[in-house]
Amino acid sequence: MKPRWPMIALCISVLVASAPSAAFPTKDEYVVIADNNQKSTVPVDTTEKPRAPIKLTEMRVRSEVALRYARTSVLTHVHNPDARPQEVTFRMLLPDTAFISGFTMILSGKSYKAYVKEKEEAKQIYTQAVSQGLGAAHVATKARDSNHFTVSTNVEGNTTAVFDLRYEEFLVRRNGLYNHAINLHPGSFVPKMEVVVHIKESQKITALRVPEVRTGNEVDATEKDAQNSKAVIQKSTNEKEATVTFTPDLTEQRRLAQIYAEKTKQKSSSEKYIGYSSTEEENDEDATVLGQFVVQYDVERTNNGEILVNDGYFVHFMAPTSLPPLSKYVVFVLDTSGSMMGRKVEQLRSAMEAILSDLNPNDYFSIVEFNSDVKVHELKEADEEPAPAYSHYSYFNTRNTPVTLVPPSPATAENIAKAKVIVSRLNASGGTNIYSALEVAFNLVRKGTRNENETDVSSTVATTTDGVSTTAATTKKTEKIEKELEPIVIFLTDGDPTVGETSTARILSFITEKNSGDKRASLYSLAFGEDADRAFLRKLSLRNEGFMRHIYEAADAALQLHDFYRQVSSPLLSHVQFLYPEKQIKEGSLSRNKFRTINAGSEVAIVGQVADDATEITPQVNAFCGNDDGIGRKRYEVSQKVIVPKTKDEHLPLERLWAYLTIKQLLDKRDAADDSKDDSAEKKALAIALKYEFVTPLTSLVVVKPEETNAVDVESVDNLRSPGLPSPYYSGGGGGAGFAGPPGPYSPYYGFETTRTTTPIILTTYATTTAQLESYHLEFFEWTSSLLNPFKDTLAFNDNGTEVILKLSKDDDPPKADGGDTECSNSTSAVGASDSAASVCVYLTRCHAARSITADDYQKSYCVVDNKYAGVCCARADVDKTP
C-alpha cells in the first residue's frame, strides 16, 4: 500500500518561537537507511501465501507537564502474527517547537537506543552507509507547525516490536491559556489505547478544559467549544496537580475517525492520511485518524511574576494580568497583489473587519495597502464613491511619486466603521512592493507615535518589593507628558518582493536601520499561504522586535488572522528589562532578559544558572505600564527576593527547561544575524544540544541495529557517541527511565504499513530546502522534496518492493535521450494526458503538467531517460510548454 498523507495541524505555538522560536524556515525530516543485503536469522516458510497483517495492539501516550514544560513519550506495540518477517514503518508528526530527546526500539527482546550526533558527523555515517550499497528512504510532509518522524524495521515472525519515542517542549501561553495538543493517528483501531496528561504546577490551576477531539486545523478552542465527555479529570486537593485520562474504546475510536474523515473531506477532497494494510488496496477504515486531543489550562498568577530555583538553575515567569493595556498605534500593512486574488483577499477583508472591532478606544491605527504601488488610506474615502477596481494606484514606485503620510486615526466607533468600508473594497492586482510598503509604515510610526496634545498627569511609579505592592504616587508634582503610543506594525504578504527593491538581504538591512531609535516598533509578519518567503519574513521580524506566523491557506484563514492579532493586540508592559545581580548568576547563562512588550494573555520566561556561592536571587523588573485613564504611561518596577534552596526537588525540570529555551533563543539569534557574522551562537547551541541529547536543526539522530551478518555488535553502539556525552535518557522526573510507568506523550501522528523490504540500520536527519530544489531546477516541483536524496543527487522510492533510484541533473539544459523522446510504455498513467496515445518519456523538468502532481502520482507515471535520469510519462502537448 502506498502511504497517504494528511494535512494535520498542530496548534500554532507561538512560538516559542516563542514568539519567536520555532526552528523555522525548514523542517527536520528523518531518513532511514536500509541494508538491502541483510537477511533474517530466523528460518521462514518460503511457500507463497498471503501474509497475516501486522497488528497494532497497544498505544500508550503519556505527558508529564511541570512548570509548563512538557516531557512526552509514545509507547507503541506492533505484533507480527505471520511466521515470516515483515517490515513495519512507524510514523509520527511532532510539534515544530519540540525537540526529540530519545528513541528506542525493542525488537525480539533486544533494546536499540538512538543517539544524537552533530549533523556533519551523521551525514558522514549516512554517506558511508550509502557507499556500502545501503538504500535510503526519505519522508516529508506538510502540516501546520510540525516535523515528520519515520523509522522502518523488520519484525521477526510471531514477535512484537515496541517503539518508544520521547520529546520535550515548552508550552507557550497565548490568549490566557496553555494548549497541550496530542495527535491521535494510530493507523488502525487499537484494542488498548490510553492517553494520560499529568500536570504539576507551583501555583493553583485556575482553568482546566478538555475540548472535544479536533482535526488539528482549527484555531485554539475556546470555552464555547464542546467538551470531551470521555476525558476523566482528577484534581489534587491542593489544586496544583491534575491528571487527565482519555481511554477511547473501539466504538469511540470509530466515532472519532468518522468525524475526522467528514471534516477533512469538507476541507479538501485531495488530502489523505496514513494507515497500514497488508494488501496493495487502500483500506479507508484501517487508515484511522482519530483527531487531536487537547488539554488547556492556566494557573494562578500575580503581576509580580514568580521565581523558582532548583539544583543550580532558576526560572522567572512573568505574565501580568490586571494591568490596563497601553495605548497603541497599529499600522496594518496589507498585500493586495495579484496573487491575493480570490479567496485570499476575501479572507483578508473578513479578518480585518473583526480585527478593527478589537481596537481599544485609546488606540490609533493606519491602513497601508500595497501591490506594485503603496497607498495610505484616508478614512474620508469611505464617504466617497468607490473608485473602479485597481484604478486608484498611482503612487510611489510606478510613478516615483511620494506617498502621502496620512496621520493616524483614533479608534472611535465612527472611524472604525469607515475603516471597515475601506477594507471591504480591497481588491487584488499587480506586483509585490514589500520594501516601499515597509518604508512607508515605519515613516508613519516615526511621525505618529506621539499625540500632539499634551495632558496633565501625576507622575507615579508602580513598585513591588518582596511581593508586597506599594503602588502609589511617589511625588505630588504634576508634569506635562505627551500621550505616547506603543507602535506595532502588522505586515501581511503572500509572496516575494517583485517590484522595487527585490533583494531580501537589502530589504532586511534597510528596514532594520529604518526601524531604530526610541520609536522602534514591533514588526509582526504574517506569511499567508505556501508561496511567501517565510525564512525572509522570520528574519525580518526577529530583527525588529517581533515574530513571524504562517497563515495557512485554508477555509479558516480569516480566523487564523484574527486569532493571531488577539495575541499581540493588548500590550500591558513596554521596554521590559529583567535585571539580576552579577554575583548571583553564572556568567553567560542568562537567557533573553529584555522584551519590547509583554502582551495580555501571554507569558515570558527567563532562565539561568545560579552562581555556586549564591544564597539568594534578588531580581528587579523595570518597564512601563498604562495609566488607568488610558492616557500616557507610568513606570513599573518589581523587586523580589528568593532564597536558594539547599535541597533538590526531583519534580522541577529547570535544568532541561534552561537547555531547551537557551537553544531556541540561540537559534533565533543565529537566524536573525547577517550571514557574515560569527557563528558563536550556533556553536553554543550545538554544544548544549549534544550535551542534553536534543535533536535540533544542528543535530541528527543515529541508531544502529546490528545483525548477526554485521560486523558491528550491540556494544559498539556506544562507540558512535562522542566522549563524555550522557545517556540519551534524562535523569529524574523525565521521559524513558525517568517517567513513572510507560511513557506516552503527545503523539502526533503515526501509522504502520506492511511491505517486503529490508532492515534499517541508521536513522539520521536533514532538511530539504528551497535552495536544494532550485539547484536541480525543481523549485516548481515541490512534491519532489519527499523523494529527494540531496547527498546522492537522486529521487528514491519503493515501487512494489523494488527500490527505484533515479538520477537528477543540475545542468541548465535538461537531459534528453540520444534517439529523441520515446513513447511511454505506461502511457495510461501519463501526466496531463487527455489522449494516452500521445505521451512520451521526458526528463521531469520538461513536463509542465508534472509541477502540480503528487509524489504518489509520480510513482505511477515515472520513466527513465537515457537509462538513468528521472523521467515522467508526459502528454506531448505539455512537453517543453512555456508556463
Side-chain angles (χ1 to χ4, degrees):
M1 166 183 164
K2 293 183 167 46
R4 302 176 294 163
W5 309 101
M7 293 283 285
I8 312 254
L10 288 177
C11 316
I12 290 181
S13 287
V14 116
L15 305 192
V16 138
S18 335
S21 252
F24 208 79
T26 58
K27 311 258 186 232
D28 284 340
E29 295 158 348
Y30 301 86
V31 179
V32 178
I33 303 173
D35 182 350
N36 292 329
N37 300 313
Q38 288 183 355
K39 305 240 188 318
S40 167
T41 59
V42 179
V44 297
D45 182 1
T46 58
T47 306
E48 286 297 327
K49 59 183 179 181
R51 295 173 183 254
I54 289 285
K55 296 291 185 182
L56 175 57
T57 59
E58 184 175 344
M59 187 177 80
R60 296 188 182 275
V61 179
R62 184 175 180 86
S63 181
E64 290 284 346
V65 184
L67 303 179
R68 299 68 145 167
Y69 191 65
R71 292 168 293 180
T72 60
S73 170
V74 178
L75 196 70
T76 307
H77 295 246
V78 186
H79 181 65
N80 177 14
D82 200 278
R84 294 162 290 184
Q86 299 190 75
E87 183 181 79
V88 168
T89 298
F90 170 69
R91 295 185 176 92
M92 295 180 62
L93 264 179
L94 304 176
D96 190 51
T97 56
F99 290 154
I100 292 173
S101 56
F103 177 69
T104 304
M105 295 187 296
I106 302 175
L107 307 172
S108 301
K110 295 181 180 180
S111 179
Y112 304 99
K113 303 174 185 177
Y115 299 93
V116 175
K117 311 291 290 180
E118 193 270 333
K119 268 199 181 299
E120 287 303 316
E121 186 178 357
K123 189 186 297 183
Q124 291 174 9
I125 297 173
Y126 177 96
T127 303
Q128 181 182 4
V130 173
S131 68
Q132 295 172 354
L134 306 179
H138 176 248
V139 179
T141 189
K142 291 181 179 180
R144 291 188 185 178
D145 308 293
S146 55
N147 290 321
H148 190 266
F149 174 92
T150 182
V151 61
S152 299
T153 188
N154 260 11
V155 178
E156 298 289 356
N158 299 311
T159 65
T160 296
V162 180
F163 298 94
D164 181 7
L165 180 67
R166 300 173 298 282
Y167 57 94
E168 305 177 25
E169 63 175 327
F170 181 63
L171 303 182
V172 177
R173 188 171 183 258
R174 57 182 180 268
N175 295 326
L177 291 171
Y178 306 102
N179 284 258
H180 190 30
I182 302 171
N183 277 351
L184 299 177
H185 309 161
S188 69
F189 298 123
V190 188
K192 295 181 180 179
M193 176 183 286
E194 181 183 59
V195 181
V196 178
V197 178
H198 177 242
I199 302 169
K200 184 173 183 178
E201 291 288 345
S202 58
Q203 302 297 325
K204 289 183 178 180
I205 298 173
T206 57
L208 179 60
R209 299 201 298 259
V210 185
E212 179 63 280
V213 173
R214 303 157 67 77
T215 66
N217 276 328
E218 304 100 327
V219 296
D220 292 344
T222 68
E223 66 277 1
K224 297 179 181 178
D225 287 273
Q227 298 299 294
N228 190 331
S229 60
K230 301 293 183 179
V232 177
I233 300 175
Q234 293 180 310
K235 297 181 180 179
S236 65
T237 54
N238 65 6
E239 300 181 59
K240 295 181 180 180
E241 286 189 65
T243 302
V244 179
T245 305
F246 181 54
T247 54
D249 57 20
L250 293 176
T251 300
E252 178 67 5
Q253 291 177 44
R254 290 189 178 94
R255 185 185 75 85
L256 294 174
Q258 183 178 359
I259 293 174
Y260 182 90
E262 290 173 354
K263 287 184 177 180
T264 52
K265 189 178 296 182
Q266 294 171 4
K267 182 168 66 71
S268 172
S269 60
S270 64
E271 292 178 4
K272 298 180 180 180
Y273 43 81
I274 286 182
Y276 81 86
S277 175
S278 59
T279 70
E280 291 298 318
E281 299 297 325
E282 293 184 351
N283 188 324
D284 288 338
E285 184 181 45
D286 285 344
T288 304
V289 178
L290 306 184
Q292 190 178 76
F293 180 75
V294 180
V295 175
Q296 299 177 314
Y297 78 96
D298 196 20
V299 298
E300 192 174 74
R301 65 187 77 249
T302 68
N303 290 329
N304 304 328
E306 179 186 18
I307 303 172
L308 297 168
V309 185
N310 185 49
D311 196 28
Y313 294 83
F314 78 90
V315 61
H316 189 167
F317 293 114
M318 174 69 78
T321 56
S322 57
L323 296 174
L326 291 160
S327 299
K328 62 182 180 292
Y329 174 31
V330 189
V331 182
F332 298 102
V333 185
L334 309 177
D335 184 348
T336 57
S337 60
S339 56
M340 288 286 293
M341 191 175 296
R343 184 168 74 161
K344 283 185 181 178
V345 75
E346 292 173 1
Q347 292 172 324
L348 176 59
R349 295 184 200 124
S350 175
M352 282 302 301
E353 187 159 333
I355 288 170
L356 288 167
S357 296
D358 284 350
L359 288 169
N360 296 322
N362 291 306
D363 292 341
Y364 286 74
F365 69 96
S366 293
I367 299 174
V368 178
E369 181 184 358
F370 75 98
N371 44 44
S372 295
D373 306 299
V374 181
K375 178 174 184 177
V376 183
H377 282 283
E378 296 186 70
L379 296 185
K380 66 180 182 181
E381 297 170 26
D383 300 325
E384 303 168 355
E385 288 295 321
Y390 321 126
S391 69
H392 62 276
Y393 291 101
S394 56
Y395 299 87
F396 210 2
N397 293 291
T398 56
R399 299 190 181 183
N400 204 27
T401 303
V403 176
T404 302
L405 297 182
V406 180
S409 303
T412 63
E414 180 183 3
N415 286 344
I416 289 174
K418 289 182 178 181
K420 288 181 179 180
V421 172
I422 290 171
V423 299
S424 71
R425 297 173 179 174
L426 294 178
N427 286 299
S429 69
T432 310
N433 194 339
I434 288 177
Y435 172 73
S436 296
L438 290 174
E439 183 183 33
V440 167
F442 288 112
N443 282 337
L444 287 170
V445 167
R446 296 185 72 82
K447 186 176 180 180
T449 50
R450 285 184 182 272
N451 191 301
E452 294 180 355
N453 297 321
E454 297 182 342
T455 307
D456 288 332
V457 297
S458 296
S459 175
T460 60
V461 177
T463 305
T464 304
T465 303
D466 298 337
V468 180
S469 175
T470 58
T471 303
T474 57
T475 174
K476 296 182 180 180
K477 178 181 178 181
T478 300
E479 59 182 13
K480 278 194 172 184
I481 68 168
E482 294 172 315
K483 180 176 181 181
E484 188 171 352
L485 304 173
E486 188 61 32
I488 298 174
V489 175
I490 306 290
F491 170 52
L492 178 143
T493 184
D494 74 334
D496 300 321
T498 60
V499 175
E501 179 58 74
T502 58
S503 167
T504 55
R506 284 195 290 270
I507 293 174
L508 283 165
S509 178
F510 295 157
I511 294 304
T512 303
E513 184 178 355
K514 186 83 174 177
N515 184 33
S516 59
D518 295 338
K519 296 184 179 181
R520 184 169 168 83
S522 299
L523 172 61
Y524 300 104
S525 299
L526 298 171
F528 198 165
E530 297 299 323
D531 296 328
D533 188 342
R534 284 175 279 171
F536 159 63
L537 295 176
R538 180 170 187 265
K539 181 171 287 193
L540 182 67
S541 289
L542 286 175
R543 287 193 185 181
N544 289 277
E545 306 288 352
F547 51 88
M548 185 275 295
R549 284 291 180 275
H550 184 190
I551 302 300
Y552 293 83
E553 191 176 350
D556 69 340
L559 289 175
Q560 294 177 58
L561 288 166
H562 187 204
D563 186 67
F564 164 80
Y565 175 75
R566 289 171 55 215
Q567 296 174 35
V568 300
S569 62
S570 293
L572 300 182
L573 292 176
S574 175
H575 299 86
V576 190
Q577 282 188 308
F578 291 79
L579 305 175
Y580 304 86
E582 290 183 3
K583 294 182 179 181
Q584 297 176 0
I585 307 299
K586 285 187 177 180
E587 183 179 359
S589 71
L590 193 64
S591 67
R592 180 184 176 189
N593 66 323
K594 295 181 181 180
F595 303 86
R596 184 65 177 81
T597 57
I598 299 180
N599 294 294
S602 69
E603 178 179 67
V604 297
I606 299 87
V607 291
Q609 293 177 263
V610 182
D612 293 335
D613 56 352
T615 59
E616 63 182 17
I617 299 180
T618 57
Q620 181 174 324
V621 182
N622 297 328
F624 289 96
C625 62
N627 281 318
D628 293 335
D629 59 6
I631 300 175
R633 57 182 61 191
K634 59 187 177 183
R635 290 189 178 278
Y636 175 90
E637 295 178 358
V638 173
S639 298
Q640 290 180 280
K641 181 171 71 174
V642 177
I643 303 300
V644 176
K646 296 181 180 180
T647 58
K648 178 181 177 180
D649 186 341
E650 298 289 345
H651 298 289
L652 296 181
L654 297 191
E655 182 175 356
R656 297 194 69 81
L657 174 57
W658 171 84
Y660 174 95
L661 286 179
T662 301
I663 293 172
K664 287 287 187 183
Q665 293 176 12
L666 287 170
L667 291 176
D668 283 346
K669 184 178 180 180
R670 178 201 67 168
D671 294 344
D674 291 329
D675 295 335
S676 59
K677 296 291 180 65
D678 66 71
D679 58 355
S680 58
E682 181 173 304
K683 288 181 178 178
K684 185 175 180 181
L686 174 60
I688 298 172
L690 289 173
K691 178 179 179 180
Y692 291 92
E693 299 223 342
F694 282 138
V695 179
T696 71
L698 305 176
T699 52
S700 296
L701 198 62
V702 177
V703 60
V704 172
K705 180 190 177 301
E707 296 283 349
E708 289 184 10
T709 56
N710 252 349
V712 182
D713 58 28
V714 69
E715 287 79 14
S716 68
V717 173
D718 288 338
N719 296 332
L720 289 173
R721 299 171 57 218
S722 301
L725 291 185
S727 161
Y729 296 103
Y730 38 91
S731 59
F739 271 125
Y746 125 42
S747 132
Y749 120 135
Y750 10 41
F752 296 90
E753 61 183 89
T754 306
T755 64
R756 291 190 178 187
T757 54
T758 54
T759 306
I761 62 166
I762 297 176
L763 176 68
T764 186
T765 73
Y766 57 79
T768 301
T769 66
T770 301
Q772 285 174 327
L773 292 179
E774 289 176 350
S775 69
Y776 302 106
H777 310 291
L778 294 174
E779 59 269 25
F780 299 110
F781 301 75
E782 294 183 355
W783 56 267
T784 59
S785 64
S786 65
L787 308 177
L788 178 64
N789 179 350
F791 302 117
K792 301 296 288 183
D793 297 333
T794 61
L795 298 181
F797 55 90
N798 185 286
D799 185 9
N800 294 324
T802 301
E803 186 180 28
V804 177
I805 300 177
L806 301 172
K807 192 72 176 175
L808 294 174
S809 172
K810 294 185 177 181
D811 294 338
D812 291 335
D813 295 325
K816 295 182 180 179
D818 291 339
D821 301 336
T822 58
E823 191 170 319
C824 283
S825 59
N826 58 338
S827 58
T828 55
S829 299
V831 173
S834 56
D835 180 0
S836 60
S839 56
V840 289
C841 179
V842 297
Y843 185 73
L844 187 56
T845 59
R846 293 180 59 200
C847 184
H848 185 269
R851 298 181 176 198
S852 58
I853 65 174
T854 66
D856 280 352
D857 293 334
Y858 181 66
Q859 294 176 42
K860 299 173 185 176
S861 59
Y862 79 91
C863 59
V864 183
V865 175
D866 204 19
N867 294 320
K868 60 180 177 180
Y869 289 107
V872 64
C873 187
C874 185
R876 286 187 181 274
D878 282 293
V879 175
D880 296 331
K881 180 179 178 181
T882 303

